[in-house]
Amino acid sequence: MQRADSALMILMADDDEDDCFLVESAFREIGIAHDLRFVDDGQQLLDYLYNKGDFADSDKFPKPNLILLDLNMPRIDGREALPIIKSDPQLRDIPILILTTSGEELDIALTRQAGASSYLSKPDTFADLLDLLSKFCVAILQNPDVPFQVIGC
Amino acid sequence: MEKREPTREDLLEKIRTLEERLLESEQTIQAIRGGEVDAFIVHEPMGEQIYTLKGADHGYRVLVESITEGALILSSDDSIYYCNRTLGEMLGLPIQKIISRRLDSYVASEGREQLMALIEESRRSGTAKGEFLITRNDGTLLPVNVSLNCMSFEDFEGVCAVITDLTEQKQVQEELRRHRTELEFLVNERTADLQHEIIERELAEEALRKSHDELELRVRERTVQLEKVNKALIVEMQERKQNVENVKAERQRFYEVLETLPVYVCLLTQDYHVPFANRVFRERFGESRGLRCFEHLFGRSEPCEVCDTYKVLKTMAPHQWEWIGPDSRNYSIFDFPFTDTDGSSIILEMGIDITERKQAEAELSATITRLELLNAELQEFAFIASHDLQEPLRKIQAFGSMLITRHKDGLNPQGQDYMGRITKAANRMSELLRSLLDYSRTGTNQLNYGPVSLTEVAGEAASDLEWLIHKAGGCVEIGELPTVDADAPLLRQLFQNIIGNSIKYRKESEQPVVKIYGKITDATCQVMIEDNGIGFDECYSQKIFRPFERLHGKNAPYSGTGMGLAICKKIVDRHGGWITARSIPGQGATFIVALPAKQQKGA
């Protein structure tokens, strides 16, 4: 799902400001002019996708080209939000990359089954983060059907 | 006077006159005999003639005439001169016909000679006696005794004879003779009878004596037999007595056993009575005294709803259950169907006081629950701690690395050194947290048992470590290993850790070689992982399996968290096996892993 007229938009759902900062820094460093937006939890993510509440204006809050989803979040967490999105025909085509600190086998299995594109463990170093994002985000934006991979667990 | 035929009247007159004269004569004779007259007048054709009785002795004449013997006097010519009336009666003749006749004419002919001889004898010697038969007038014979006495008075020489009628005497004699004969006959007969009887008696006595002897013999034999039997009986009686004693003693012993048992034992009939109760029962619940069990134990009027005991009579199979007695103690009850001595079906019940055990069990259970909770909390804590601590640590690492790589110029060499140390410490901590997380996961993850080929799993573990092994220039030799019931990923982890351990602690001078082989003994499978590494002192063979235990300092070339073997132990523990290690420093080490071949269901 590419939009020719504007830059690709990536929505990151994570309550950790540091991680958001690091990812933003990484994207900036990678040098791709992406529109990167943030929501704090699963509830906000769903509100954004369904243009509810603060995100009612669909022009201002268009559908993202990629979602970076953390699993451990307040209110509705990533584990709950993922199957909701993936079971909605309007939303299921948006590729979702899991970016989390959880290395649980169960989380990996469930998210894979729910339709996540790949499962990435948040790396320890900035260099690894740069490496990971440049590799996976670009690949998925170009071809959403890349095989499911688990990195860093 | 003319002679005329006498008329009837004349004749009658004559008869009358004659009769008068006869009568007169008879009276005269009578008078003479009676001695009333000494003389009488007899009318004869020549006139009356007076006859006097010479020597008339009145007394003698009366005597002679009144005696019952015949008396006579024989004159010298042996004719009868006088006879008394009795002789006349004897001969059946009037005296007139007798007098002047010869006595022998009245004697039966065969006796006449003898009579004459007798008379002659009496004349010679004075007296003589003899028995004769005289012929009476009617021809019958009369036995008589003739007693002769010679007599003479004045000029008269005669013989006086007394004739005694022997008819009666003869009759008596005959009677006597007859009686005697009869008696003799009877006596003979009786004697014969008696003799016969005597013989019979003698025979009987003989038989009796024989049978007595036989009897005595038999009695002696029987006595001997009886004595034998008696002896045998005495022995048998003693044996029986002994047996009875033994049975009694056995019974007593059995009773003592029941009495001594620290459990209660009782019998319960179909109608809830308690015919037997041992000491423990009596001490705890008292004597039932004919009461039914529910009355006695709980003062109830009907059986207890919660009682399982009487189910036994329906199922006829032993039953075990738990019961709270009237003493509020817990009992483990064993009920058995039991046949009483009279064949009736009753219940044998045994109760073991398990109050202490129950309390201990409850305490144990509470402790286990508490420990499980604590353990779960600890696991949770380990997990959360390792997970949540990871977050800020990762930031330190991330921003630290950013600082070093992107903002190196803003730091002087000392600051760069500090930054490097911070990053290194954070990395180390991250490593520790990860292994702690692994360890905690090993303890909490649900195990999925299935048949696992240890050969395959060891092979997979070796290939997981291929790069590491290759880098060390080593090799892993895997022999034929058994298949066990296990969780495959955990066993793969186990082999990874041990093989990794062996490669890590290799000798620098030698190519590391790891040999894996195993055997099954009984229900246990043993796997040996033998290396040729640096080895260790066996005093550490327990310690090396504890979390975070390391035998080498941080500055030694062997990096690690000290969690690898602890995880191995946890994996083996969770499978119900054991792990140990044999080693001599410098001569390699052998890890021995023992796993049950089959896992118990529900484990």
Side-chain angles (χ1 to χ4, degrees):
Chain A
M1 192 190 275
Q2 259 179 309
R3 291 192 294 187
D5 59 321
S6 66
L8 297 173
M9 202 274 273
I10 296 170
L11 182 61
M12 180 171 180
D14 199 327
D15 59 326
D16 191 319
E17 286 180 16
D18 291 333
D19 282 330
C20 293
F21 175 74
L22 285 169
V23 168
E24 195 177 17
S25 303
F27 272 117
R28 197 179 299 124
E29 199 147 318
I30 291 165
I32 315 166
H34 285 302
D35 178 5
L36 182 62
R37 303 188 190 190
F38 301 97
V39 287
D40 289 341
D41 54 44
Q43 186 62 58
Q44 278 196 13
L45 173 64
L46 293 174
D47 285 352
Y48 182 97
L49 294 175
Y50 288 106
N51 296 115
K52 285 180 182 170
D54 295 343
F55 309 102
D57 189 340
S58 60
D59 290 337
K60 277 176 78 179
F61 305 105
K63 297 282 180 288
N65 299 90
L66 174 67
I67 298 170
L68 293 175
L69 180 64
D70 187 20
L71 293 181
N72 297 314
M73 291 184 291
R75 300 206 284 179
I76 295 176
D77 73 8
R79 296 177 190 83
E80 294 167 288
L82 177 67
I84 295 171
I85 298 163
K86 283 296 173 186
S87 61
D88 187 333
Q90 302 291 318
L91 304 173
R92 69 159 62 121
D93 290 337
I94 305 169
I96 298 175
L97 276 177
I98 306 295
L99 186 64
T100 181
T101 51
S102 165
E104 293 295 311
E105 298 275 349
L106 189 64
D107 285 338
I108 295 167
L110 284 177
T111 52
R112 178 179 192 160
Q113 196 184 5
S117 295
S118 275
Y119 193 98
L120 313 177
S121 183
K122 288 175 181 173
D124 291 345
T125 64
F126 187 64
D128 287 345
L129 184 64
L130 279 175
D131 196 33
L132 200 67
L133 291 179
S134 58
K135 200 171 164 187
F136 275 87
C137 291
V138 172
I140 283 172
L141 286 169
Q142 284 173 357
N143 177 17
D145 296 327
V146 291
F148 184 85
Q149 283 189 64
V150 180
I151 303 296
C153 294
Chain B
M1 190 179 174
E2 186 186 12
K3 205 122 162 165
R4 53 153 190 128
E5 280 293 307
T7 61
R8 193 177 175 253
E9 278 81 22
D10 298 337
L11 287 173
L12 282 172
E13 184 61 31
K14 202 172 182 173
I15 288 169
R16 193 174 46 87
T17 310
L18 285 172
E19 275 176 354
E20 275 175 10
R21 286 182 67 185
L22 181 62
L23 183 65
E24 194 180 337
S25 297
E26 280 179 353
Q27 282 173 346
T28 306
I29 291 167
Q30 196 70 36
I32 294 166
R33 285 178 188 270
E36 290 168 13
V37 289
D38 290 329
F40 52 92
I41 302 162
V42 178
H43 297 280
E44 290 185 3
M46 309 93 56
E48 288 180 353
Q49 195 177 345
I50 297 169
Y51 288 81
T52 56
L53 295 176
K54 219 186 253 183
D57 188 330
H58 179 71
Y60 288 132
R61 257 187 276 154
V62 174
L63 179 69
V64 169
E65 286 301 319
S66 63
I67 59 167
T68 54
E69 268 86 12
L72 60 97
I73 296 167
L74 290 177
S75 59
S76 54
D77 60 355
D78 293 338
S79 64
I80 295 169
Y81 176 76
Y82 165 79
C83 82
N84 69 353
R85 201 174 48 203
T86 306
L87 185 66
E89 286 168 5
M90 279 179 176
L91 293 175
L93 289 169
I95 292 167
Q96 294 87 338
K97 288 199 175 173
I98 298 168
I99 289 173
S100 78
R101 301 227 4 218
R102 287 181 64 95
L103 178 61
D104 56 338
S105 66
Y106 296 105
V107 176
S109 56
E110 61 267 25
R112 284 177 193 162
E113 228 170 286
Q114 194 193 341
L115 178 68
M116 293 316 292
L118 201 68
I119 294 167
E120 214 45 48
E121 189 189 338
S122 69
R123 287 184 202 281
R124 258 189 344 262
S125 61
T127 60
K129 266 185 196 177
E131 283 184 14
F132 299 93
L133 284 172
I134 55 173
T135 307
R136 297 184 66 185
N137 190 42
D138 59 2
T140 58
L141 296 173
L142 188 71
V144 292
N145 185 58
V146 177
S147 181
L148 301 171
N149 284 287
C150 180
M151 61 175 287
S152 62
F153 66 80
E154 296 173 3
D155 57 348
F156 184 81
E157 288 286 335
V159 173
C160 175
V162 176
I163 312 294
T164 308
D165 186 349
L166 291 179
T167 306
E168 249 176 60
Q169 195 184 336
K170 284 286 172 190
Q171 277 176 347
V172 168
Q173 274 180 357
E174 179 62 22
E175 189 78 358
L176 277 173
R177 199 190 51 76
R178 205 165 46 77
H179 272 286
R180 190 188 161 89
T181 309
E182 272 179 16
L183 274 173
E184 273 178 358
F185 177 76
L186 280 173
V187 164
N188 287 341
E189 202 176 47
R190 191 78 189 114
T191 306
D193 282 355
L194 281 172
Q195 275 175 347
H196 189 66
E197 200 169 314
I198 284 165
I199 289 166
E200 276 186 350
R201 284 202 181 186
E202 276 174 358
L203 283 172
E205 263 175 28
E206 178 63 21
L208 210 62
R209 196 182 51 73
K210 261 190 190 171
S211 82
H212 179 262
D213 288 352
E214 275 175 17
L215 209 63
E216 262 195 354
L217 192 68
R218 281 178 62 191
V219 164
R220 270 200 295 275
E221 284 173 355
R222 192 82 187 114
T223 306
V224 171
Q225 278 180 0
L226 280 175
E227 274 171 359
K228 271 187 194 169
V229 170
N230 200 35
K231 270 182 194 168
L233 273 175
I234 288 171
V235 170
E236 200 185 322
M237 266 172 68
Q238 280 169 344
E239 280 175 1
R240 282 196 183 184
K241 205 175 161 187
Q242 188 60 46
N243 282 343
V244 167
E245 291 292 321
N246 289 347
V247 167
K248 251 173 94 175
E250 189 66 30
R251 223 183 127 90
Q252 184 62 27
R253 184 166 68 179
F254 185 65
Y255 184 72
E256 294 293 335
V257 167
L258 286 179
E259 287 292 277
T260 314
L261 281 179
V263 302
Y264 85 68
V265 178
C266 66
L267 293 173
L268 290 156
T269 62
Q270 293 182 21
D271 57 0
Y272 302 97
H273 284 99
V274 189
F276 171 79
N278 75 339
R279 181 185 52 82
V280 171
F281 185 98
R282 297 193 307 271
E283 282 177 5
R284 299 208 170 194
F285 313 132
E287 302 269 1
S288 69
R289 296 181 200 287
L291 290 175
R292 287 179 287 179
C293 56
F294 48 85
E295 295 167 331
H296 170 56
L297 296 175
F298 296 103
R300 290 169 59 97
S301 57
E302 54 190 32
C304 313
E305 292 86 355
V306 296
C307 181
D308 268 10
T309 298
Y310 280 86
K311 287 179 181 172
V312 166
L313 285 181
K314 286 178 190 157
T315 61
M316 293 310 278
H319 179 56
Q320 199 245 317
W321 56 292
E322 284 184 13
W323 175 68
I324 296 170
D327 52 358
S328 301
R329 296 188 70 84
N330 298 85
Y331 291 91
S332 180
I333 305 290
F334 294 84
D335 286 314
F336 303 93
F338 192 82
T339 305
D340 204 2
T341 46
D342 64 358
S344 60
S345 285
I346 59 170
I347 299 166
L348 168 64
E349 182 165 287
M350 205 171 81
I352 302 170
D353 188 338
I354 53 162
T355 311
E356 277 77 22
R357 201 182 84 194
K358 287 284 275 190
Q359 281 170 357
E361 274 174 8
E363 280 165 20
L364 194 68
S365 175
T367 306
I368 287 170
T369 308
R370 204 169 60 243
L371 281 176
E372 276 174 349
L373 198 67
L374 274 174
N375 198 43
E377 279 173 6
L378 208 62
Q379 300 276 11
E380 184 88 342
F381 172 77
F383 179 78
I384 290 168
S386 52
H387 181 265
D388 288 4
L389 289 176
Q390 196 79 37
E391 280 296 308
L393 190 61
R394 194 170 48 76
K395 307 290 172 54
I396 294 168
Q397 289 174 294
F399 287 106
S401 67
M402 235 174 126
L403 198 60
I404 289 170
T405 54
R406 299 290 176 268
H407 304 280
K408 199 178 172 183
D409 298 343
L411 287 171
N412 63 18
Q414 200 174 18
Q416 288 175 22
D417 177 48
Y418 292 165
M419 205 54 237
R421 286 174 189 273
I422 288 170
T423 309
K424 199 178 163 190
N427 287 347
R428 174 71 187 156
M429 188 170 172
S430 175
E431 212 180 328
L432 288 171
L433 285 176
R434 273 184 218 281
S435 58
L436 184 62
L437 200 60
D438 285 344
Y439 183 74
S440 123
R441 275 182 187 148
T442 309
T444 51
N445 283 357
Q446 181 69 40
L447 296 188
N448 295 310
Y449 287 113
V452 175
S453 161
L454 294 180
T455 315
E456 280 178 24
V457 170
E460 286 165 7
S463 72
D464 288 341
L465 300 170
E466 199 180 354
W467 186 75
L468 185 74
I469 296 163
H470 176 73
K471 206 169 73 178
C475 69
V476 176
E477 297 168 9
I478 301 168
E480 201 60 44
L481 300 177
T483 296
V484 296
D485 241 1
D487 182 282
L490 281 186
L491 285 200
R492 186 163 166 173
Q493 171 93 58
L494 172 78
F495 280 110
Q496 268 185 26
N497 287 10
I498 298 176
I499 296 168
N501 207 63
S502 291
I503 300 294
K504 192 200 285 179
Y505 296 104
R506 66 183 179 272
K507 285 181 189 163
E508 278 186 43
S509 58
E510 233 176 296
Q511 271 198 333
V513 177
V514 181
K515 291 176 182 167
I516 303 175
Y517 51 92
K519 60 175 178 182
I520 279 202
T521 52
D522 296 332
T524 304
C525 156
Q526 279 191 26
V527 179
M528 272 62 74
I529 301 109
E530 186 186 320
D531 66 43
N532 57 349
I534 57 171
F536 60 90
D537 192 324
E538 260 190 29
C539 69
Y540 299 117
S541 61
Q542 297 293 315
K543 205 177 177 185
I544 54 173
F545 294 106
R546 289 183 202 149
F548 299 119
E549 281 294 345
R550 304 190 71 228
L551 298 183
H552 303 277
K554 281 178 201 159
N555 297 324
Y558 312 107
S559 64
T561 60
M563 200 57 89
L565 292 178
I567 289 172
C568 286
K569 180 164 170 29
K570 183 152 262 184
I571 290 168
V572 172
D573 282 350
R574 290 201 70 191
H575 280 83
W578 49 265
I579 183 167
T580 188
R582 301 249 183 283
S583 181
I584 297 169
Q587 294 186 28
T590 301
F591 286 86
I592 302 160
V593 174
L595 295 168
K598 292 271 172 208
Q599 289 295 330
Q600 284 176 357
K601 279 180 183 166

